[in-house]
């Protein structure tokens, strides 16, 4: 994959990465996670589910803002998403809460989000790339594509990129993190970043205010009425004598994706339109020439523009609700090189060079019907809370009967719309069991009980998602007792794991009724010694008392392997699967003392930034099991007295 290697070199040039944003028409989530994300992290290609968990963990630790934007109608519901990278679906017809948005720029339900742009920001600089390649295996490995990167080191071009991404962030309800005013050493732009949100259309920027004798275009997709499109370019953009040289992909090497007409034949006869082969020899491994390139005698444009009305934005600025323009983007370079270098051998125009009506129907883009509204379903890993917001896009009053099925929730959530505001009544739902969310990253939309759509969750505060844990309670206590305040994580497993048959599981059971460990748990002596228990909790208490930041305390409370939440869960499961024992009584008391100490430390650190809700801290406790019936009453009293002394020594009143 040449593009992947080029992408890697651009990442390296930017140094320590801060942001990697990618846009595409359609996407292959598995390709992004398997090839693009490892390239960003400098990691090996993942093979197992645990490898993907490791990638997500590294992405969290490095704090890279990695996200993807694509047309929301082309997020396939059956794609296997294995990481938490945000995938934002762009809706060209969406209006924001103030009644404006992309739809107010002239885009509608027929418009496509078709731009392919990459923004990279690191410690050593910024890079912008654009071209024809979608975020798919075909786009990066099988098709003939064109893509170009340029340093984003000049003010005008940076502002253009800022404007483009600002609109996208607004459309999906995300806060935009880039500042507009920056200082740049370079004053002369290397190129122009042209996109459909600007005040000047693509063809106006490319053709300018002077006459061009020729225009060469590479495009796999063509207007059905090619003659009418060329006439529009000639008249609307004041190029009456322009000669179009067209290099177009042919389906199965046979016919073009356009129909023959007498008007088209007249253009060919007048030498106003000529067809050419691709100028570079073919490769049998290439499945399609998907490249899009426009060349005049003075400029070269590389981007997403097909030679169609919507793709070239020929209806840009026309006040006609039925006019379709797509959201496109690309780079325009000053280039006075000979246009012939972009053309291959001339193709003779014969009848079978053009598609029949049935062939055109077979090649037509099948755009999935969009829901009449846009939803943003966010899960916050710190608060363990779903937040759902939405905007009704379709004309007429919002309709009832819609609901959303969320991971880790048994019952669907009803969507209630505010008719005048055309917005969804805000929904916030807290959950306690997040195990399904470790593997499920999508939600389902229902209408009166019937499935009618899906979407991807936007997961935030992901550093609070506990991805690892120790295999059992003994391993956790061994790590604390042997290694002290900073136990190694080498022995920690991922919570999501894959069986030999490929089945995905979450949280291996610590104890089973049929497992020999259960017998050990009932005795309380065979697997964990009293010394190990007390040594581990002593070290744990020392660690908690030494934490100086809320973030550090939250990590030890909920996110790192061996955290208090994991300790509580393992202790509960051990007690539930064992008979009453003195050891388990000690275990529960020790764990509860640690949890109370952590809550005390939290109070000392407030006010401070915190992402874990108080309710989660309050849930950190273990029900104290009963002692064996034969336990002497004086021994019971002595135990309670000793723990009162321990509370004073730990600073818990």
């Amino acid at each position: 994959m040449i593009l992947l290697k080029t992408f890697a070199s651009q990442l390296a040039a930017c140094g320590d990465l801060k942001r990697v944003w990618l846009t595409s028409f359609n996407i292959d989530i598995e390709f992004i996670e398997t090839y693009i994300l490892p390239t960003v992290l400098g990691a090996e290609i993942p093979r197992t589910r645990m490898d993907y968990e490791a990638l997500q963990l590294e992405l969290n630790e490095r704090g890279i803002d990695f996200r993807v934007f694509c047309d929301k109608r082309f997020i396939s519901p059956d794609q296997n998403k294995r990481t938490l990278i945000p995938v934002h679906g762009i809706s060209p017809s969406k209006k924001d809460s103030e009644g404006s948005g992309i739809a107010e720029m002239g885009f509608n339900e027929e418009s496509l989000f078709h731009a392919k742009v990459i923004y990279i920001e690191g410690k050593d600089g910024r890079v912008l790339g654009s071209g024809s390649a979608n975020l798919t295996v075909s786009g990066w490995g099988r098709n003939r594509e064109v893509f170009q990167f340029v340093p984003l080191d000049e003010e005008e071009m940076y502002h253009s990129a800022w404007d483009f991404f600002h609109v996208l962030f607004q459309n999906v309800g995300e806060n935009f993190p880039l500042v507009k005013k920056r200082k740049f050493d370079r004053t002369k732009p290397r190129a122009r970043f042209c996109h459909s949100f600007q005040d000047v259309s693509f063809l106006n920027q490319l053709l300018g205010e002077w006459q061009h004798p020729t225009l060469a275009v590479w495009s796999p997709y063509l207007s059905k009425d090619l003659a009418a499109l060329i006439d529009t370019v000639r008249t609307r953009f004041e190029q009456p004598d322009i000669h179009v040289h067209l290099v177009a992909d042919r389906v199965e090497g046979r016919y073009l994706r356009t129909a023959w007409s007498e008007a088209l034949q007249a253009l060919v006869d007048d030498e106003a339109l000529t067809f050419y082969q691709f100028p570079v020899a073919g490769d049998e491994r290439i499945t399609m020439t998907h490249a899009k390139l426009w060349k005049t005698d003075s400029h070269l444009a590389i981007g997403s523009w097909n030679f169609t009305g919507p793709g070239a934005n020929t209806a840009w600025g026309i006040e006609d609700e039925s006019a379709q323009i797509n959201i496109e983007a690309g780079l325009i370079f000053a280039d006075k090189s000979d246009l012939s270098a972009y053309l291959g051998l001339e193709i003779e125009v014969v009848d079978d060079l053009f598609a029949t009506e049935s062939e055109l129907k077979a090649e037509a883009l099948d755009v999935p019907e969009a829901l009449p509204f846009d939803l943003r379903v966010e899960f916050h890993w710190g608060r363990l809370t779903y937040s759902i917001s939405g905007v009704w896009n379709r004309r007429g009053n919002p309709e009832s009967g819609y609901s959303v099925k969320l991971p880790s929730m048994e019952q669907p959530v009803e969507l209630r719309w505010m008719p005048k505001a055309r917005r969804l009544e805000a929904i916030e739902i807290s959950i306690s069991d997040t195990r399904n969310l470790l593997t499920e990253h999508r939600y389902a939309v229902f209408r009166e009980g019937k499935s009618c759509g899906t979407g991807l969750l936007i997961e935030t505060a992901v550093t609070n998602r506990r991805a690892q844990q120790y295999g059992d309670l003994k391993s956790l206590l061994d790590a604390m007792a042997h290694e002290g305040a900073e136990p190694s994580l080498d022995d920690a497993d991922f919570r999501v794991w894959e069986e030999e048959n490929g089945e995905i599981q979450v949280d291996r059971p610590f104890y089973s009724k049929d497992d020999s460990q259960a017998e050990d748990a009932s005795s309380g002596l065979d697997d964990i010694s009293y010394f190990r228990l007390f040594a581990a909790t002593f070290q744990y208490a020392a660690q908690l008392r030494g934490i100086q930041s809320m973030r550090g305390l939250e990590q030890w409370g909920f996110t790192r392997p061996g955290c208090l939440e994991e300790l509580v869960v393992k202790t509960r499961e051990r007690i539930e699967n064992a008979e009453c024992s003195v050891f388990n009584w000690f275990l529960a008391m020790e764990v509860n003392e640690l949890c109370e100490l952590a809550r005390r430390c939290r109070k000392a650190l407030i006010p401070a930034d915190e992402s874990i809700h108080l309710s989660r801290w309050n849930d950190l406790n273990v029900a104290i099991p009963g002692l064996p019936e034969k336990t002497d009453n004086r021994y019971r009293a002595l135990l309670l007295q000793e723990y009162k002394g321990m509370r004073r020594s730990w600073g818990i009143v």
Side-chain angles (χ1 to χ4, degrees):
M1 297 183 187
I2 296 175
L3 181 52
L4 193 63
K5 292 180 180 178
T6 304
F7 176 59
S9 68
Q10 299 299 319
L11 294 168
C14 290
D16 292 338
L17 296 174
K18 187 175 182 179
R19 297 184 177 95
V20 180
W21 300 340
L22 308 101
T23 80
S24 181
F25 169 48
N26 59 338
I27 62 168
D28 181 341
I29 295 174
E30 294 187 47
F31 168 74
I32 295 169
E33 294 178 327
T34 304
Y35 293 97
I36 295 181
L37 180 57
T39 302
V40 169
L41 298 174
E44 297 292 328
I45 293 175
R47 303 295 182 186
T48 67
R49 187 56 187 255
M50 289 76 82
D51 293 338
Y52 289 98
E53 288 288 332
L55 288 176
Q56 181 63 55
L57 195 61
E58 184 175 353
L59 190 64
N60 294 349
E61 292 174 350
R62 293 176 58 179
I64 301 172
D65 179 6
F66 181 98
R67 63 180 71 221
V68 174
F69 300 86
C70 64
D71 192 300
K72 74 167 190 175
R73 293 160 291 189
F74 289 86
I75 302 177
S76 175
D78 58 355
Q79 294 190 44
N80 182 23
K81 190 170 187 285
R82 288 158 292 192
T83 70
L84 281 67
I85 58 173
V87 177
H88 303 289
I90 296 295
S91 174
S93 61
K94 179 183 177 182
K95 297 182 178 181
D96 65 24
S97 58
E98 281 72 40
S100 61
I102 290 183
E104 295 300 308
M105 299 179 185
F107 304 100
N108 55 36
E109 292 183 356
E110 301 300 319
S111 301
L112 304 175
F113 178 72
H114 195 249
K116 304 100 166 52
V117 181
I118 296 176
Y119 172 79
I120 305 169
E121 180 180 339
K123 182 180 178 181
D124 298 333
R126 303 173 192 86
V127 169
L128 188 74
S130 190
S132 62
N134 287 306
L135 297 172
T136 63
V137 174
S138 295
W140 285 55
R142 296 175 184 165
N143 295 341
R144 181 183 281 118
E145 307 276 2
V146 59
F147 209 95
Q148 184 65 45
F149 292 94
V150 294
L152 198 56
D153 55 2
E154 181 272 333
E155 185 176 24
E156 181 180 345
M157 190 172 172
Y158 174 79
H159 284 172
S160 181
W162 191 97
D163 292 338
F164 175 76
F165 280 104
H166 181 260
V167 173
L168 301 190
F169 272 72
Q170 183 183 44
N171 185 259
V172 300
E174 288 280 316
N175 293 325
F176 189 52
L178 297 186
V179 297
K180 192 159 190 177
K181 292 186 177 180
R182 292 184 182 273
K183 292 183 178 180
F184 297 93
D185 295 330
R186 187 179 177 87
T187 57
K188 185 177 180 180
R190 302 172 189 268
R192 273 182 287 164
F193 178 49
C194 173
H195 54 82
S196 299
F197 304 143
Q198 293 172 320
D199 294 334
V200 182
S201 73
F202 161 60
L203 286 175
N204 279 122
Q205 292 190 51
L206 177 67
L207 300 177
E209 299 178 353
W210 55 90
Q211 298 296 307
H212 296 272
T214 53
L215 170 66
V217 180
W218 295 357
S219 176
Y221 299 103
L222 306 173
S223 174
K224 182 179 180 180
D225 190 343
L226 200 54
L229 175 61
I230 294 174
D231 184 61
T232 297
V233 173
R234 285 179 147 195
T235 55
R236 182 155 189 242
F237 299 96
E238 299 179 354
Q239 302 290 329
D241 300 317
I242 200 167
H243 181 173
V244 177
H245 301 266
L246 191 56
V247 179
D249 180 71
R250 286 190 280 179
V251 181
E252 298 176 352
R254 297 188 295 111
Y255 58 86
L256 303 172
R257 295 175 177 86
T258 188
W260 179 88
S261 67
E262 292 184 356
L264 187 147
Q265 186 65 54
L267 288 175
V268 173
D269 293 341
D270 292 342
E271 297 184 348
L273 171 64
T274 310
F275 295 94
Y276 296 86
Q277 295 180 3
F278 196 76
V280 180
D283 186 324
E284 61 182 13
R285 294 172 297 179
I286 293 175
T287 57
M288 178 184 184
T289 297
H290 190 254
K292 306 156 201 314
L293 178 149
W294 298 59
K295 178 70 174 73
T296 69
D297 54 319
S298 59
H299 288 83
L300 170 67
I302 293 173
S304 61
W305 307 284
N306 281 308
F307 199 55
T308 64
N313 288 180
T314 55
W316 187 93
I318 296 177
E319 295 184 3
D320 182 355
E321 292 185 0
S322 63
Q324 180 189 348
I325 55 174
N326 295 336
I327 299 170
E328 311 281 356
L331 298 165
I332 301 178
F333 300 86
D335 183 350
K336 295 184 178 181
S337 63
D338 194 329
L339 184 141
S340 63
Y342 297 89
L343 306 174
L345 296 176
E346 185 176 338
I347 298 174
E348 181 182 359
V349 175
V350 292
D351 290 346
D352 59 2
L353 180 63
F354 304 95
T356 64
E357 193 65 32
S358 61
E359 288 170 337
L360 285 175
K361 288 182 179 180
E363 286 294 312
L365 179 65
D366 183 16
V367 180
E369 184 178 358
L371 290 168
F373 50 81
D374 277 283
L375 283 186
R376 176 184 170 85
V377 183
E378 176 184 326
F379 184 77
H380 191 286
W381 276 97
R383 297 190 297 267
L384 301 188
T385 300
Y386 281 111
S387 300
I388 307 176
S389 58
V391 177
W392 189 272
N393 292 325
R394 195 167 292 172
R395 291 183 177 181
N397 292 327
E399 301 169 4
S400 61
Y402 288 97
S403 62
V404 175
K405 182 68 173 64
L406 303 171
S408 291
M409 292 192 62
E410 292 186 5
Q411 298 299 323
V413 179
E414 182 182 358
L415 299 181
R416 297 184 178 182
W417 298 92
M418 296 182 287
K420 291 185 179 180
R422 301 176 65 81
R423 295 199 307 271
L424 186 69
E425 291 183 7
I427 299 173
E428 283 207 2
I429 304 170
S430 296
I431 64 173
S432 56
D433 184 357
T434 61
R435 284 175 293 183
N436 287 342
L437 270 160
L438 292 173
T439 57
E440 295 182 29
H441 306 286
R442 67 185 70 246
Y443 60 86
V445 180
F446 291 83
R447 178 80 187 277
E448 297 178 349
K450 295 183 179 180
S451 177
C452 60
T454 62
L456 295 178
L457 298 174
I458 299 300
E459 300 178 58
T460 58
V462 296
T463 55
N464 295 311
R465 175 183 181 265
R466 180 164 60 88
Q468 290 177 281
Q469 66 182 5
Y470 287 95
D472 51 36
L473 182 61
K474 182 177 184 297
S475 299
L476 191 161
L477 295 176
D478 283 348
M480 290 302 304
H482 283 306
E483 302 179 47
E486 287 293 338
S488 170
L489 304 184
D490 292 342
D491 295 330
D493 298 324
F494 285 105
R495 297 179 66 190
V496 177
W497 54 285
E498 191 172 357
E499 293 186 335
E500 292 183 359
N501 62 4
E503 186 176 352
I504 303 301
Q505 302 288 351
V506 178
D507 285 351
R508 300 174 190 264
F510 309 128
Y511 300 103
S512 171
K513 295 294 185 182
D514 299 326
D515 195 337
S516 60
Q517 280 189 298
E519 298 178 7
D520 296 337
S522 66
S523 68
L525 297 174
D526 295 339
D527 58 336
I528 305 173
S529 69
Y530 283 94
F531 173 80
R532 184 58 41 77
L533 171 63
F534 296 133
T537 54
F538 177 82
Q539 294 283 9
Y540 216 128
Q543 172 65 37
L544 293 174
R545 285 195 298 269
I547 295 174
Q548 300 296 316
S549 69
M550 180 63 75
R551 180 60 193 148
L553 186 63
E554 289 181 339
Q555 288 176 339
W556 276 91
F558 300 96
T559 63
R560 61 160 288 136
C563 65
L564 284 173
E565 187 175 62
E566 180 185 344
L567 181 59
V568 166
V569 170
K570 284 180 164 59
T571 299
R572 287 173 180 169
E573 185 161 0
R574 178 191 175 91
I575 292 173
E576 290 171 2
N577 286 276
E579 298 177 0
C580 293
S581 69
V582 174
F583 180 87
N584 284 345
W585 186 92
F586 272 107
L587 173 63
M589 292 294 289
E590 291 285 309
V591 171
N592 281 346
E593 295 298 329
L594 289 173
C595 294
E596 184 61 30
L597 175 61
R599 284 188 284 268
R600 182 84 176 192
C601 293
R602 177 182 174 275
K603 287 183 179 180
L605 292 171
I606 292 176
D609 292 336
E610 56 179 331
S611 57
I612 304 295
H613 195 270
L614 176 60
S615 61
R616 290 188 67 188
W617 287 99
N618 292 335
D619 286 341
L620 293 178
N621 62 79
V622 178
I624 304 298
L627 290 166
E629 293 182 3
K630 296 180 180 180
T631 305
D632 186 89
N633 289 334
R634 289 175 298 177
Y635 183 61
R636 294 173 185 267
L638 178 62
L639 291 177
L640 292 174
Q641 183 179 351
E642 289 297 321
Y643 270 98
K644 288 181 181 179
M646 179 187 297
R647 290 174 67 86
R648 286 192 294 271
S649 67
W650 282 8
I652 303 172
V653 178

